[in-house]
Amino acid sequence: MKIKAIMNENNRNRFEIFIDRHPITAVMMVSLILKLILSIFDIVVNPDGIHYIAAAQQITAGNFDKALQIYPMPAYSLLIAIGHFVIPDWAAAARAVNIVALVLASIPLYGITRLLFNQQAAFWAIFCLSLTPEANDQALSVLRDPVFLLTSLTALFYFLKGIYHINIKKILVASIFTGISFLFRIEGLVFLIVPVLYFLYKSIFARDDAFKKFVRRGLLLWIGVPLTVCVILSVVFGPRLLTQNRIAWLMGEASSITNFTAFNKYQEIYRFFQTIETNPPFSKFSKSLPSVIRHWMPLIYTIGLLEYFVKQVFPIFLVPLLWTVQNFISNRPRNISEGKQFVLLVWVFYMIFILYSFITRDYIQGRFLFEPAVLLYPWVGYGIILIFKWLMGIKFGQILKIAILIILIVTPCVKIVKATVNSDSGVIEVGRFISEDPQLTEAKILFSDTRQWFYGKRKEEFQKVSQNVLAISRMIKKGQAKDIEAKAKNQGADAIVLFINFNKTNVIPKFEHYYIYKRFQSRKGLTVIYKKMN
């Protein structure tokens, strides 16, 4: 097979992004303006974000070791620290990093989509990315995900350009961005492994000798660069390297797989359902619900994964995605280009990675699936083009086209605005009160949420605060008021700040030596500030 036939491209300019700078710029401006408008609202920093900001504060102070103790993946905190030199407010600096990353992510996504389909599909793909609620929610959060999205999409774009152009330099650039993406999220491992499998397969089965030679060189480079970097870092950092970027976690995970202990959590849940399947109110004489669940647990986890995935794609964008699938099924012959095959292979491995994590930990968050959702946005963009073409051939097609366009714009925007307006800013009010109240500004306080510490502009060491928060949160859930008071007395606390989530408990703790000083009612619960009795 000839190299040109491998990619089956019709436009020699398809590889050049910047000839389309005007549509890209237009969408990026829309995305930027939307995110800046949303950033005006007082959005509370997510709990994880406080760790990244605290680490960034230590980096700024020159305490890099303390920053690593707070969070072992320092790349995102380093970016926040850099942003803080320009933007004094820590939360705003972190959000600025995310907004820039999400706006810039349109560039590689546009390039990927144009390589796989065409210019029009690329425009609609980045248009959907600019409006999707998850992206705009992440822009207002303090998360590593936006920078990971930018770096991983850039790596994927350069990898595709490398195999389209038979260009080893672009493969090198892709490997660099893959390594950078790994600094932000452990899922960067997917973008490291899949190209290795691709190169191995093509080095054996590719028919074109020149392309076979290229993929073998690419394989050596793809394996050689990470190994070289690891050797250098091992010499520089020694055993400390294992504590960074969750390398020790990866080694432990590999060990648990080889020792057949990775699925201990799954087996524990399986045994739990086995234990209760004949207990009341379940039937003793036939297959009960726990029995059915126990046998179908892998399928149930998979269905749950797909449910979260659909939400990340955003339901209204699922229609053009399925339209593209239907178009592929109905066409003859059903050819799919090398580039599309590779992107879908990355998607499959990414989903398997998340499913493995879901099963072994019985825990998942929707945002974990945003990256694989974005990987399918090229198909979403192409589906919109197919729908518009179909509408042009029917009566009132132009009117329906405008109606669909309005739906595509209004539906995600309504959800974005609703989520932003309904966000709970109670923690900000609590923190402002603590920082301004003369009886609390210098008091030693025991917190139940690190955000109370952050918005209260406290000077206590974050690690100690974080440890106390974990302990206090458990005690609140268990209703251990005496233990909370004992901990406060042992640490000489002048005040206690507790958040009571009414979805988990309705009990407001009462203490012998601390009285209720102030209450703050919010959408999610009640925050109570206790003061020590004189």
Side-chain angles (χ1 to χ4, degrees), residues 468-505:
N468 283 335
V469 163
L470 288 174
I472 296 298
S473 297
R474 294 193 200 100
M475 293 174 188
I476 292 173
K477 290 178 183 178
K478 295 178 181 179
Q480 298 171 334
K482 291 184 179 180
D483 292 338
I484 295 173
E485 185 170 19
K487 191 173 187 64
K489 289 176 65 178
N490 289 338
Q491 296 192 12
D494 301 308
I496 306 171
V497 182
L498 301 182
F499 174 71
I500 312 300
N501 188 335
F502 290 142
N503 291 328
K504 297 179 180 179
T505 178

Side-chain angles (χ1 to χ4, degrees), residues 36-323:
L36 289 177
I37 291 172
L38 294 173
S39 66
I40 296 172
F41 293 89
D42 279 338
I43 305 297
V44 178
V45 173
N46 49 295
D48 289 351
I50 304 301
H51 288 76
Y52 307 135
I53 291 175
Q57 290 172 338
Q58 294 298 333
I59 291 173
T60 304
N63 302 322
F64 201 75
D65 286 340
K66 282 189 176 181
L68 293 176
Q69 291 172 14
I70 292 172
Y71 199 78
M73 300 179 77
Y76 181 54
S77 296
L78 181 61
L79 290 180
I80 296 174
I82 294 171
H84 184 256
F85 283 110
V86 181
I87 304 172
D89 183 86
W90 283 103
R95 287 175 178 139
V97 171
N98 285 6
I99 289 172
V100 170
L102 285 165
V103 171
L104 291 178
S106 296
I107 298 175
L109 179 61
Y110 186 96
I112 291 167
T113 310
R114 191 171 183 188
L115 286 170
L116 301 182
F117 293 102
N118 54 46
Q119 179 181 350
Q120 292 78 19
F123 172 82
W124 289 111
I126 64 172
F127 184 79
C128 292
L129 176 64
S130 70
L131 293 180
T132 182
E134 180 62 30
N136 288 283
D137 179 63
Q138 290 190 12
L140 303 179
S141 302
V142 182
L143 298 167
R144 297 167 289 145
D145 304 47
V147 187
F148 172 70
L149 179 71
L150 171 62
T151 53
S152 59
L153 286 180
T154 304
L156 180 59
F157 170 62
Y158 275 103
F159 187 87
L160 290 175
K161 286 192 74 174
I163 60 176
Y164 272 53
H165 279 173
I166 319 299
N167 189 320
I168 200 68
K169 291 181 181 178
K170 288 182 172 61
I171 298 297
L172 175 61
V173 174
S175 69
I176 292 171
F177 275 101
T178 299
I180 294 173
S181 73
F182 183 74
L183 297 177
F184 294 96
R185 286 201 66 87
I186 202 74
E187 289 88 341
L189 192 66
V190 173
F191 293 88
L192 180 65
I193 292 174
V194 175
V196 172
L197 300 177
Y198 174 83
F199 282 137
L200 283 172
Y201 178 82
K202 289 298 178 182
S203 66
I204 299 171
F205 296 103
R207 297 180 182 179
D208 186 274
D209 291 337
F211 189 70
K212 185 179 288 187
K213 182 179 179 181
F214 162 75
V215 296
R216 287 174 178 172
R217 289 174 61 201
L219 178 62
L220 290 175
L221 183 147
W222 201 264
I223 295 175
V225 169
L227 284 178
T228 303
V229 171
C230 286
V231 170
I232 294 172
L233 292 177
S234 298
V235 172
V236 174
F237 293 101
R240 289 181 58 196
L241 179 64
L242 296 178
T243 64
Q244 308 311 315
N245 273 70
R246 297 188 177 178
I247 295 176
W249 177 86
L250 279 175
M251 295 178 65
E253 203 66 27
S255 175
S256 66
I257 293 173
T258 56
N259 294 334
F260 303 102
T261 58
F263 292 91
N264 282 353
K265 184 75 172 180
Y266 176 90
Q267 292 171 351
E268 181 182 350
I269 296 171
Y270 184 94
R271 288 192 295 269
F272 170 77
F273 282 117
Q274 192 173 33
T275 302
I276 67 169
E277 65 182 24
T278 57
N279 294 341
F282 305 111
S283 171
K284 297 181 179 180
F285 306 104
S286 63
K287 289 288 184 181
S288 61
L289 180 60
S291 176
V292 174
I293 292 173
R294 178 166 57 88
H295 285 289
W296 293 100
M297 277 173 58
L299 179 61
I300 293 170
Y301 274 116
T302 304
I303 293 172
L305 182 80
L306 292 175
E307 180 186 2
Y308 279 109
F309 175 75
V310 168
K311 291 179 180 178
Q312 292 304 305
V313 173
F314 193 61
I316 198 70
F317 298 154
L318 197 65
V319 176
L321 176 61
L322 295 176
W323 200 287

